[in-house]
Amino acid sequence: MVLIAATVCTKSGKALVSRQFVEMTKARIEGLLAAFPKLMTGGRQHTFVETESVRYVYQPLDKLYMLLITTKASNILEDLETLRLFSRVVPEYCVQLTETEVLNQAFNLLFAFDEIVALGYRESVNLAQVRSFVEMDSHEEKIYQAVRQTQEREAANRMRERAKELQRERLEAAKRGQPPRSQMSFGSGFGSSTMSSSSPSESIAEKIPTTPARDTRTVGRSAMKLGSRGTDADSFVSRLRSEGDVTAPVASPAQHDAGKPVPADHKDVHLRFEERLNLIAGRDGDIQTFELSGLLTLRISNEQFGRIHVHVDNKDSRPLQLQTHPNVDKEAFRSTGVIGLKQAQRPFPMHSDVGVLKWRLATTNDDKLAPLSVNCWPSEGVNGGCDVNIEYELEQDHLVLTDVNITIPLPSGNTSVVVHQWEGSYTQKGRNLIWSIPLVSKQQKTGSLEFTVTPSIPNDFFPLSVTWTSETSLALLTAVKVTQAEDGSPVDFSQEISFHADKYEFV
Amino acid sequence: MAVVEQPCYTLINFPTDLEPCNEMQLKLDLEKGDTKKKIEALKKTIGIILSGEKIPGLLMIIIRFVLPLQDHMIKKLLLIFWEIVPKTSPDGKLLQEMILVCDAYRKDLQHPNEFIRGSTLRFLCKLKEPELLEPLMPAIRSCLEHRHSYVRRNAVLAIFTIYRNFEFLIPDAPELVANFLETEQDMSCKRNAFLMLLHADQERALTYLSSRLDNVHSFGDILQLVIVELIYKVCHTNPSERSRFIRTVYGLLNASSAAVRYEAAGTLVTLSNAPAAIKAAAACYIDLVVKESDNNVKLIVVGRLGALRAEGGEGAARALPDLAMDVLRVLASSDLDVRKHTLQLALELVSARHAEELVQVLRKEAARAHSADHDDAAKYRQLLVRAMHKAALKFPEVAGSVAPALLELLGEGSEAAAHDVLLFLRHALHAFPDLRDHIYQKLVESVRSVRVGRPARAALWLLAQFADTPGRARAALHVLADVIEGAADTQPESGPAAAPRRLVTSDGTYATQSAFNLPASGAAEGGAAEGGARLGGALLEGESFTAVCACSALAKLALKLPRQEAARALHLAAVLLARHKQNAGQRGGLTADDMEHAALCVQAGLAGAGLGGGAGGADVRRALLDASDAALAALLALPDREPHLLEDVDKEREPKRQEQKVEIETGITFSQLAGAGASGSQHDMFELALNKALQGRSGGEAIDRGKLCRVRQLTGCSDPVYAEAIVSVNQYDIVLDVLLVNQTDDTLQNCCVELATLGELRLVERAAEVVLAPRDFASLRAHVKVASTENGVIFGNVVYEVTGASMDRGVVVLNDIHIDIVDFIQPAHCSDADFRQMWAEFEWENKVSVNTNMTDLHEYLQHLLASTNMKCLTPEKALSGQCGFMAANLYARSIFGEDALANLSIERPLHKPGAPVLGHVRIRAKTQGMALSLGDKINMMQKASHQKPADPTPAA
């Protein structure tokens, strides 16, 4: 059960990167690695070699081998499991499976290998966990840093105030003709003239945080504990996942907004409906998670349209949760579907995207909500391969989806992919087959793809993910008109609708 | 031997053609560069250290300018850096600077980032300096209570290794970890904690386990695996505990994880030898083989089943035969290797009760494989035929049902399987007289369709040999007459057949080997076969040798038949010969040998049957009929005439017979004095396997034994530095233990051994420099890696400096060390067919003339075997006797898996008694190096033997 070393080597047997998990001499490991290419004979359908003392288990990865050296008493089933994980980790870090790329990523590979095996025993981890372990992206560290920064700032502020106070005292004392009370403590080095500048506060601020910082760490920890107190592995994983999901949407709109020049066709009043869909469905089409979130942003680039009303029509019969910005007149929206500011005399902010309305649709178990259903049907064929039939169908007639990409994972290793029938186009990128359909609409609702992969098992082809862009929205919300707040005269406006999938997966 | 080697955890093969790193530039980058530059510089530094160079100047720079950085990448790289950087000064003292680093470790152990903590803890597992670890202990302990399981599980590992290496640092570790285990929820942490207890304190591990014995099934797979390991270990050291755990292990046979089932099955049979246990384990194994789709698993598990049978003793013998039929389910897999091993196993397992059933299954498989159009299908059919052959030998009662099944497979004989079928028939006809009638009849029926030369010849021989009754002989004659006359009438034309190649068969007769021209002639005859009968095609259009065989068969038949029919048989033979003579223009016609043989046969037939003149009918009869009977009986009686499914099976079993001979240098172990755990033979298999893997050849007894005779003197006794070395070959490396003795009264400074290599050798580690006091000695160690089986030379010199002396450096040139190829060659066995195939395939041949003063052929062979480490494939029986010449095939395989073939043909001139052996040895190998080196070796051996016997006994 002891794994001695994990190595990436070339087909000719040159070891590129190797990590040993038990204590051994360099001469020994080099000897073992040098013997491997000679022991390996082609034309076999199994991928292990046994010698007097060790067992080599390997898996080809394009022009490379992922090689594990184990003891002979080692559990082969366990080793193969480990090997599978290893050979998924390598392509994860190396874009191409070539010698140079492996050497470029040598250190990342070493770090990743370390996470998989501890002292020769397999750790129970999956690819995502390895990835996050290697990234070392720690929530706690961020909190710690934030707390530390706040403390530094506070300390600096306190210091500045204190300095001011002292100075005031000193001035007052000077006025009263008394010697300043605390002059002695500042010593001669500073001199009274430099007192007002920020230099003392800085010099002290550097020292201060050391002690409070250590205290705050425990505060931070206990604060986190309230949020999620499970120590179980599952909750750990799910927490990682939830964090990953929370951070992604927060980060992405920020990127959208920043630095994007306003396109020419935008009128002075521009509405933008943005919808994102998060969906996980089972292979049978049962929806496990469905979360649609939308945001209506308003951008006004002319001051004369600062005070306007946006009339929104909600035709949706589904339980859409609508939420307006706190500054928007909620009552008016609820009764008449008008978005305007609560304080009627104030204008909307200029030249920036202002989110005014959010909507959300989240259900589970309602199978009719999915915009696009994908039916992936792998069936085991002869000689260890799978015949896969994939079919999609547009479920919501009002949608027009463009650039639909269906990404089908392929098994790692040496596989042959033969596509028999397709609509649209397909490409094979790395270990994925990407099926692209330029347009899916009411007129062209369905399409199918058939291919065969050997060797493979049905599980290889999941999770399947879908992306698209669309200028129609899933929720039936539309802006009818925009009027001036005072007189109700119509205002010319432009609108833009975007609907895409953040995560659309069939697992 | 005082040199302790650094363990090596990391290997990165950076390309050597990179521009040489400038140390100044590195320093500058590490000091002033931004984070990115520092990362790059740090990577380069690691690369340099990994390649074996030392840059002590960088350590302090890294401590000052890189260590304080918070970047994650830098943190991780630093951990690798600390892992590989030398932390001690040459005299073994910890470097001063490391104290500074120690504080950085402590900070990282308290870092808010759980991953930094975790990876630092993991790094600490590899740290071997107690001085550095000591201040860290409180921090490590506190990490046990960290909120993240990632930190905790690494903390457990750190505590484990520290406890193992330096118990005094944390004497209460077992207790600590046991308490930790009680409250821990995370599976990985639990596993690691349990692992620690398993190695450190089995008592506690047992207590923990027994309190949860009923819940084991709900544990995670990795924890279950360790539990099984614990049970194995406990029961190994303390057999009385066995009964407690059998139930648990048995329960784990149904675990959801296949790995656990496999492990549990393996452990179960070590716990109990009862048939029930063995049966349960075997059933579990079989289930794994059938269900797992991976060929690796299938092969290894089938191997385990085989081992189970071999070692299980009586219990296995009782329990396993019932499962033989289940094993056959594995045949559904498509891999040839798997099938081969499975058949082997099934044949070993099966008992008489199931033999019939087994044969039925094999027949069905053969029929299925017949229709399959796969690359391996032909080979698979051949395997099945051999398996059935074996089954018939083992259980004669099934031979009756095997025979017809096999005859179905004879087909037109173009397949590999056909030859095996005929081998079986030969055996069956010989061994089972009661089946003879039946088989013979079948053979007569199917012989017509045989088209390819080699099986046709074999079939003809069988027909003639076993035509014991006039009825049979008549039937045979009838068939032959039909075939020959039928074919002679039609005039099929066919292209010229490939010129037959003359070869010497293993038993010394000349034969036309069909393996070479089989495809060509098969294709040529394809057209002919459509016209006439198939056998007729082979006889009339095929190679002349086949026709000659037919002649000799007909002659034999003539001897067995009454006059009139005998005449007919001989007439047929004559027709056949005439036909060939007639065709002589188109194709090669009969060769002189064939012609002579055929004519002889016909004449003998005439004489024997009393048709023509000539006397000695009885002699001819005896020569033709009885002698071949006797030869067949003798051939079949040879031990290795059974069909081989697996070549290596016998080979593997051989070394198990250990010699009960104690060598001179072996130490005597007193079991009373040996420590409890120290007794070598009581190590359990996990540790044994690990030790073996880490050290190469097990135990090193082979090395110890030869140590003294492997000492080589490197410099002269009057040189200022005397040097000698023990050269030990340890699988793929050569270790030189060099002893240096200062023979002068001066202190020799910077004394070092500079070595260089010639051939496929590479110096892995240079020996360090030493200072030798007057008359002092020191021992050094150097490693050389061997890349292939070729002769290599290690040469070099000793360089030293004498303080205050006028000359600045002294150099003593070392005697060359020749690395002997024989160290890498191991005798091996391969089948005759494989030998021929390799002989034909290999490109390099080295022909060495025998040049010796030995006068005995056998003596020469033995000497050759002993000095080249090869194995003689030619059976002892074939070599015995004195006839003045000898031919033998030798075979060996190097530890790198290269094959080396040799053919020895030597003779002793008959007319000159006492003359030395003459002849040559031909060596063939896939690579030039192998062929050359082996040739050199033989030449050297001859030279050596020249001198040795020359002195004491001048050639008699």
Side-chain angles (χ1 to χ4, degrees):
Chain A
M1 248 191 287
V2 175
L3 189 71
I4 295 173
T7 307
V8 181
C9 61
T10 62
K11 283 260 151 138
S12 59
K14 188 169 101 178
L16 299 176
V17 177
S18 173
R19 188 76 167 154
Q20 287 74 254
F21 300 106
V22 291
E23 213 177 301
M24 67 196 306
T25 62
K26 191 171 182 180
R28 177 67 184 156
I29 180 69
E30 290 204 325
L32 287 175
L33 289 174
F36 170 66
K38 310 214 159 147
L39 293 168
M40 199 178 47
T41 47
R44 296 287 166 110
Q45 287 187 38
H46 56 84
T47 54
F48 76 96
V49 188
E50 277 193 353
T51 68
E52 196 188 349
S53 50
V54 294
R55 178 189 296 151
Y56 301 88
V57 192
Y58 59 93
Q59 180 169 344
L61 297 170
D62 279 3
K63 292 184 183 113
L64 305 170
Y65 281 120
M66 180 70 229
L67 165 69
L68 300 185
I69 305 179
T70 70
T71 58
K72 281 181 83 173
S74 175
N75 187 328
I76 179 68
L77 290 146
E78 187 80 348
D79 295 337
L80 285 172
E81 182 85 0
T82 321
L83 181 63
R84 253 172 249 145
L85 183 55
F86 269 114
S87 41
R88 286 175 65 202
V89 161
V90 176
E92 185 79 16
Y93 286 95
C94 304
V95 187
Q96 303 152 315
L97 292 170
T98 59
E99 196 176 329
T100 38
E101 180 70 13
V102 167
L103 287 177
N104 280 341
Q105 299 296 332
F107 287 100
N108 274 330
L109 288 178
L110 289 182
F111 301 141
F113 287 3
D114 267 354
E115 304 297 342
I116 301 175
V117 176
L119 296 183
Y121 287 77
R122 180 174 73 96
E123 288 281 11
S124 151
V125 287
N126 59 31
L127 190 59
Q129 282 170 320
V130 170
R131 179 117 222 167
S132 74
F133 289 163
V134 172
E135 265 167 22
M136 290 193 158
D137 198 9
S138 160
H139 204 73
E140 304 214 347
E141 190 183 21
K142 280 185 197 146
I143 292 174
Y144 170 76
Q145 299 286 9
V147 169
R148 192 186 152 114
Q149 266 170 14
T150 329
Q151 292 240 311
E152 275 176 27
R153 211 161 36 228
E154 272 173 14
N157 284 342
R158 248 204 325 272
M159 208 44 53
R160 210 171 292 132
E161 270 167 27
R162 181 88 179 118
K164 269 182 196 159
E165 204 176 301
L166 284 172
Q167 197 175 9
R168 206 172 53 235
E169 260 178 36
R170 200 150 40 88
L171 283 174
E172 275 170 15
K175 265 185 207 160
R176 273 183 261 129
Q178 287 168 353
R181 194 183 52 140
S182 58
Q183 201 177 16
M184 294 307 287
S185 62
F186 279 94
S188 56
F190 285 105
S192 51
S193 62
T194 55
M195 269 311 292
S196 60
S197 77
S198 59
S199 64
S201 64
E202 266 175 20
S203 68
I204 297 167
E206 271 182 1
K207 279 185 189 165
I208 291 284
T210 49
T211 30
R214 195 160 290 164
D215 300 340
T216 53
R217 188 170 51 80
T218 51
V219 175
R221 276 174 58 179
S222 58
M224 274 300 287
K225 255 181 191 150
L226 282 175
S228 55
R229 35 178 255 101
T231 49
D232 195 16
D234 295 340
S235 72
F236 178 60
V237 176
S238 68
R239 198 168 62 233
L240 278 177
R241 196 173 290 144
S242 69
E243 280 173 8
D245 279 354
V246 168
T247 49
V250 168
S252 57
Q255 282 168 353
H256 277 298
D257 297 348
K260 197 159 99 189
V262 181
D265 61 340
H266 285 188
K267 303 259 171 58
D268 287 341
V269 174
H270 183 74
L271 297 175
R272 180 180 158 81
F273 291 84
E274 194 189 339
E275 280 188 339
R276 293 192 308 269
L277 182 60
N278 206 327
L279 181 140
I280 299 176
R283 291 170 201 192
D284 313 318
D286 54 321
I287 290 177
Q288 291 163 2
T289 331
F290 178 96
E291 191 180 349
L292 175 77
S293 51
L295 180 68
L296 170 59
T297 53
L298 176 63
R299 186 186 180 97
I300 303 171
S301 35
N302 190 330
E303 280 183 15
Q304 76 190 93
F305 302 119
R307 288 184 300 225
I308 48 168
H309 283 165
V310 180
H311 300 257
V312 176
D313 187 11
N314 179 7
K315 294 202 199 70
D316 219 311
S317 56
R318 293 165 290 194
L320 213 57
Q321 296 170 20
L322 293 161
Q323 192 185 16
T324 53
H325 191 276
N327 287 351
V328 166
D329 192 346
K330 205 183 288 174
E331 209 42 55
F333 177 74
R334 200 174 295 157
S335 50
T336 56
V338 169
I339 297 172
L341 285 183
K342 229 183 243 170
Q343 293 153 309
Q345 67 281 10
R346 269 179 57 185
F348 281 102
M350 292 293 132
H351 304 298
S352 66
D353 285 336
V354 190
V356 289
L357 176 67
K358 277 187 194 166
W359 60 97
R360 189 170 168 276
L361 182 59
T363 47
T364 51
N365 312 328
D366 191 345
D367 295 355
K368 295 194 185 70
L369 284 174
L372 187 75
S373 66
V374 177
N375 183 4
C376 176
W377 195 295
S379 46
E380 271 175 297
V382 284
N383 56 41
C386 276
D387 296 318
V388 187
N389 287 287
I390 300 186
E391 186 193 40
Y392 67 81
E393 181 170 7
L394 187 68
E395 301 277 30
Q396 310 281 338
D397 282 350
H398 67 277
L399 287 174
V400 176
L401 306 180
T402 48
D403 293 334
V404 179
N405 281 326
I406 301 180
T407 308
I408 307 135
L410 297 175
S412 56
N414 265 348
T415 53
S416 72
V417 181
V418 182
V419 181
H420 309 295
Q421 189 206 328
W422 68 92
E423 282 160 58
S425 61
Y426 70 91
T427 49
Q428 194 181 347
K429 264 191 201 147
R431 293 186 293 112
N432 286 319
L433 184 71
I434 299 172
W435 178 25
S436 336
I437 305 105
L439 184 72
V440 177
S441 66
K442 197 175 164 182
Q443 281 78 30
Q444 295 146 295
K445 279 175 82 166
T446 59
S448 62
L449 171 78
E450 274 184 51
F451 62 96
T452 308
V453 177
T454 40
S456 61
I457 52 168
N459 274 343
D460 284 330
F461 304 97
F462 294 97
L464 190 110
S465 62
V466 187
T467 59
W468 66 76
T469 57
S470 170
E471 294 187 352
T472 52
S473 69
L474 182 61
L476 299 165
L477 276 180
T478 44
V480 188
K481 58 181 179 177
V482 178
T483 56
Q484 286 281 15
E486 289 97 336
D487 53 10
S489 59
V491 172
D492 203 5
F493 71 98
S494 58
Q495 63 175 336
E496 177 193 350
I497 298 171
S498 119
F499 167 48
H500 60 89
D502 268 344
K503 184 176 183 183
Y504 200 89
E505 277 188 353
F506 294 83
V507 294
Chain B
M1 265 147 263
V3 193
V4 181
E5 284 179 84
Q6 282 287 317
C8 164
Y9 293 101
T10 313
L11 275 187
I12 304 178
N13 198 341
F14 284 113
T16 42
D17 52 338
L18 271 177
E19 78 276 17
C21 279
N22 184 344
E23 197 176 329
M24 280 313 296
Q25 185 61 42
L26 269 184
K27 274 187 182 166
L28 208 66
D29 279 353
L30 286 172
E31 192 174 332
K32 302 258 166 63
D34 55 1
T35 310
K36 247 190 189 145
K37 267 203 169 144
K38 286 188 179 181
I39 287 177
E40 281 314 308
L42 198 53
K43 281 184 178 174
K44 269 187 197 155
T45 316
I46 291 174
I48 292 171
I49 298 180
L50 279 178
S51 66
E53 285 180 53
K54 300 190 169 83
I55 9 180
L58 284 182
L59 183 60
M60 205 52 215
I61 299 229
I62 287 178
I63 292 178
R64 281 177 58 200
F65 299 104
V66 186
L67 197 55
L69 294 185
Q70 287 298 317
D71 185 81
H72 291 165
M73 190 65 191
I74 289 205
K75 286 251 179 236
K76 288 184 284 185
L77 285 175
L78 275 177
L79 289 179
I80 293 197
F81 176 77
W82 295 128
E83 187 185 301
I84 56 172
V85 80
K87 288 173 272 291
T88 52
S89 54
D91 54 353
K93 290 258 175 62
L94 191 71
L95 288 177
Q96 295 295 322
E97 292 92 329
M98 292 310 288
I99 299 300
L100 299 171
V101 186
C102 189
D103 190 52
Y105 294 157
R106 200 178 51 81
K107 275 196 185 134
D108 279 347
L109 286 179
Q110 291 164 343
H111 203 278
N113 187 330
E114 64 270 22
F115 302 111
I116 291 183
R117 278 196 191 206
S119 46
T120 310
L121 283 165
R122 189 165 47 214
F123 157 72
L124 292 180
C125 294
K126 297 167 186 166
L127 204 59
K128 283 283 162 77
E129 281 75 21
E131 304 93 316
L132 285 181
L133 285 170
E134 198 173 359
L136 301 178
M137 291 321 293
I140 296 174
R141 278 167 188 261
S142 70
C143 280
L144 268 188
E145 280 137 37
H146 196 267
R147 206 169 54 76
H148 278 278
S149 60
Y150 184 78
V151 177
R152 289 198 306 270
R153 75 175 191 229
N154 283 309
V156 172
L157 289 181
I159 290 178
F160 171 30
T161 45
I162 293 171
Y163 177 76
R164 191 168 59 183
N165 295 330
F166 314 104
E167 199 186 325
F168 61 92
L169 284 179
I170 181 161
D172 59 339
E175 191 185 341
L176 196 66
V177 175
N179 291 340
F180 170 77
L181 187 58
E182 289 296 331
T183 54
E184 182 56 57
Q185 294 296 318
D186 181 77
M187 183 173 64
S188 278
C189 299
K190 266 166 127 171
R191 199 277 305 263
N192 289 355
F194 197 76
L195 187 67
M196 140 98 195
L197 289 185
L198 157 67
H199 289 280
D201 189 347
Q202 285 192 358
E203 273 308 305
R204 283 181 203 273
L206 272 183
T207 328
Y208 178 81
L209 178 59
S210 20
S211 64
R212 281 163 186 74
L213 218 45
D214 297 328
N215 302 332
V216 169
H217 311 285
S218 57
F219 290 168
D221 56 343
I222 53 174
L223 186 56
Q224 285 178 343
L225 282 176
V226 195
I227 286 175
V228 175
E229 192 180 330
L230 170 81
I231 293 176
Y232 172 80
K233 283 206 159 134
V234 168
C235 298
H236 192 81
T237 46
N238 196 356
S240 58
E241 297 274 359
R242 281 181 180 169
S243 51
R244 266 170 78 189
F245 297 111
I246 284 188
R247 240 178 52 119
T248 312
V249 176
Y250 185 78
L252 285 176
L253 286 183
N254 298 319
S256 58
S257 152
V260 176
R261 290 205 296 273
Y262 172 82
E263 204 64 39
T267 303
L268 186 61
V269 290
T270 60
L271 295 188
S272 161
N273 271 331
I278 289 178
K279 196 163 176 180
C284 178
Y285 277 144
I286 290 172
D287 187 55
L288 278 175
V289 186
V290 176
K291 292 227 175 97
E292 282 291 318
S293 60
D294 193 293
N295 285 333
N296 300 316
V297 176
K298 284 181 194 283
L299 272 178
I300 290 182
V301 177
V302 168
R304 287 296 288 263
L305 273 171
L308 188 62
R309 187 201 153 273
E311 289 157 13
E314 197 196 339
R318 276 182 31 212
L320 289 177
D322 293 340
L323 294 167
M325 299 316 294
D326 289 333
V327 172
L328 288 176
R329 280 158 60 200
V330 185
L331 289 179
S333 131
S334 65
D335 184 38
L336 192 67
D337 282 325
V338 174
R339 287 170 159 174
K340 199 192 275 184
H341 284 85
T342 310
L343 281 177
Q344 171 82 26
L345 178 69
L347 282 177
E348 280 178 12
L349 291 184
V350 83
S351 64
R353 199 141 48 96
H354 298 285
E356 187 68 31
E357 208 178 331
L358 174 89
V359 170
Q360 291 308 327
V361 174
L362 292 183
R363 274 179 78 163
K364 238 180 252 163
E365 272 294 313
R368 216 162 53 99
H370 206 70
S371 54
D373 198 22
H374 199 257
D375 317 341
D376 286 337
K379 283 187 189 158
Y380 181 44
R381 280 197 291 275
Q382 189 178 6
L383 270 183
L384 286 170
V385 170
R386 290 186 187 182
M388 282 192 254
H389 187 170
K390 262 197 127 167
L393 289 187
K394 201 169 162 191
F395 309 104
E397 62 270 26
V398 299
S401 60
V402 168
L406 288 185
L407 275 163
E408 284 164 20
L409 285 170
L410 186 57
E412 58 181 22
S414 60
E415 284 190 37
H419 183 66
D420 286 291
V421 171
L422 287 163
L423 283 182
F424 166 74
L425 289 181
R426 185 177 71 182
H427 207 128
L429 285 169
H430 178 78
F432 311 119
D434 44 334
L435 287 175
R436 230 176 246 181
D437 253 339
H438 183 63
I439 297 177
Y440 195 86
Q441 192 191 340
K442 285 270 180 191
L443 180 63
V444 168
E445 280 166 21
S446 49
V447 77
R448 285 168 198 265
S449 57
V450 179
R451 179 159 57 95
V452 178
R454 194 171 176 213
R457 291 195 292 272
L460 285 172
W461 189 86
L462 287 180
L463 280 183
Q465 182 65 30
F466 292 100
D468 296 339
T469 61
R472 281 189 213 156
R474 226 165 265 140
L477 181 63
H478 188 69
V479 166
L480 287 179
D482 232 25
V483 163
I484 293 173
E485 281 160 1
D489 289 345
T490 58
Q491 285 288 333
E493 74 269 15
S494 62
R501 196 167 148 188
R502 182 79 57 71
L503 282 177
V504 182
T505 59
S506 59
D507 46 0
T509 59
Y510 282 98
T512 319
Q513 196 172 29
S514 60
F516 290 103
N517 50 11
L518 191 144
S521 63
E525 285 157 7
E530 282 158 20
R534 288 167 168 183
L535 184 62
L539 292 182
L540 294 174
E541 313 299 327
E543 311 142 27
S544 57
F545 188 53
T546 312
V548 174
C549 285
C551 288
S552 103
L554 283 168
K556 275 193 198 171
L557 283 177
L559 295 180
K560 291 181 177 179
L561 280 168
R563 229 180 135 86
Q564 201 180 359
E565 280 152 331
R568 187 168 174 223
L570 293 172
H571 176 241
L572 277 178
V575 167
L576 202 56
L577 283 177
R579 254 311 278 284
H580 267 276
K581 195 76 183 160
Q582 199 183 342
N583 287 348
Q586 298 173 21
R587 37 180 56 209
L590 294 180
T591 59
D593 277 326
D594 288 347
M595 190 69 197
E596 191 184 338
H597 187 190
L600 251 175
C601 284
V602 176
Q603 279 174 5
L606 281 174
L611 288 173
D619 283 348
V620 170
R621 243 170 219 286
R622 198 162 52 237
L624 271 182
L625 300 181
D626 303 343
S628 54
D629 256 344
L632 178 61
L635 185 69
L636 291 177
L638 285 182
D640 55 348
R641 278 294 139 177
E642 287 187 15
H644 288 291
L645 287 179
L646 290 172
E647 285 81 21
D648 31 353
V649 174
D650 317 334
K651 190 185 72 186
E652 278 165 19
R653 305 241 164 105
E654 252 174 300
K656 284 187 185 157
R657 276 181 275 123
Q658 280 181 343
E659 287 184 25
Q660 292 294 317
K661 199 165 70 176
V662 181
E663 294 293 330
I664 309 168
E665 292 169 49
T666 320
I668 301 173
T669 37
F670 295 93
S671 50
Q672 289 87 344
L673 298 181
S679 43
S681 60
Q682 280 173 16
H683 279 310
D684 62 86
M685 70 175 179
F686 291 111
E687 275 172 48
L688 268 183
L690 182 60
N691 287 342
K692 217 172 172 187
L694 295 184
Q695 277 141 31
R697 280 185 192 167
S698 55
E701 56 188 271
I703 302 161
D704 283 341
R705 190 199 317 154
K707 235 172 185 177
L708 286 187
C709 62
R710 281 176 185 273
V711 171
R712 308 204 191 190
Q713 189 181 351
L714 297 180
T715 63
C717 294
S718 51
D719 278 324
V721 179
Y722 172 75
E724 63 181 25
I726 297 174
V727 183
S728 42
V729 178
N730 186 6
Q731 247 181 349
Y732 308 111
D733 11 274
I734 300 170
V735 184
L736 299 177
D737 278 315
V738 186
L739 174 74
L740 294 176
V741 184
N742 182 359
Q743 310 235 58
T744 63
D745 290 328
D746 299 318
T747 304
L748 303 181
Q749 302 241 320
N750 298 339
C751 186
C752 74
V753 183
E754 291 176 350
L755 292 173
T757 57
L758 206 67
E760 293 265 340
L761 299 172
R762 196 164 66 79
L763 207 57
V764 181
E765 236 168 293
R766 291 160 201 288
E769 295 185 349
V770 288
V771 176
L772 281 179
R775 304 285 170 196
D776 194 7
F777 63 88
S779 58
L780 305 171
R781 180 177 273 200
H783 279 273
V784 176
K785 200 165 84 176
V786 185
S788 78
T789 329
E790 280 174 39
N791 282 333
V793 180
I794 304 174
F795 57 95
N797 40 39
V798 182
V799 182
Y800 58 90
E801 288 170 17
V802 183
T803 37
S806 53
M807 62 161 194
D808 47 5
R809 299 186 89 192
V811 176
V812 183
V813 179
L814 300 179
N815 197 5
D816 292 354
I817 303 172
H818 289 270
I819 299 302
D820 200 344
I821 183 177
V822 176
D823 289 329
F824 310 120
I825 291 183
Q826 289 159 349
H829 184 84
C830 77
S831 75
D832 236 23
D834 290 345
F835 186 89
R836 277 155 197 255
Q837 200 188 348
M838 283 192 276
W839 188 264
E841 274 173 10
F842 286 176
E843 290 172 3
W844 293 97
E845 175 172 303
N846 190 0
K847 187 167 168 181
V848 182
S849 302
V850 172
N851 174 19
T852 179
N853 45 17
M854 286 188 195
T855 53
D856 185 68
L857 299 174
H858 273 281
E859 193 188 329
Y860 184 80
L861 175 67
Q862 291 312 322
H863 184 58
L864 186 71
L865 292 181
S867 56
T868 56
N869 232 354
M870 295 184 95
K871 185 184 167 88
C872 181
L873 295 183
T874 313
E876 190 55 36
K877 202 150 193 171
L879 295 174
S880 58
Q882 289 288 348
C883 61
F885 65 86
M886 172 188 276
N889 289 338
L890 315 182
Y891 179 70
R893 191 179 284 154
S894 78
I895 53 170
F896 303 103
E898 297 161 300
D899 303 292
L901 314 175
N903 174 266
L904 172 76
S905 3
I906 45 176
E907 61 178 343
R908 201 180 52 187
L910 274 178
H911 49 279
K912 279 194 279 182
V917 172
L918 289 177
H920 51 248
V921 186
R922 291 199 291 170
I923 301 154
R924 285 203 183 179
K926 207 177 235 167
T927 57
Q928 187 185 20
M930 183 86 183
L932 281 179
S933 319
L934 210 53
D936 288 350
K937 180 69 201 167
I938 293 176
N939 274 328
M940 256 158 56
M941 170 276 274
Q942 290 182 349
K943 265 185 223 157
S945 67
H946 247 319
Q947 291 151 4
K948 198 174 53 177
D951 285 337
T953 49

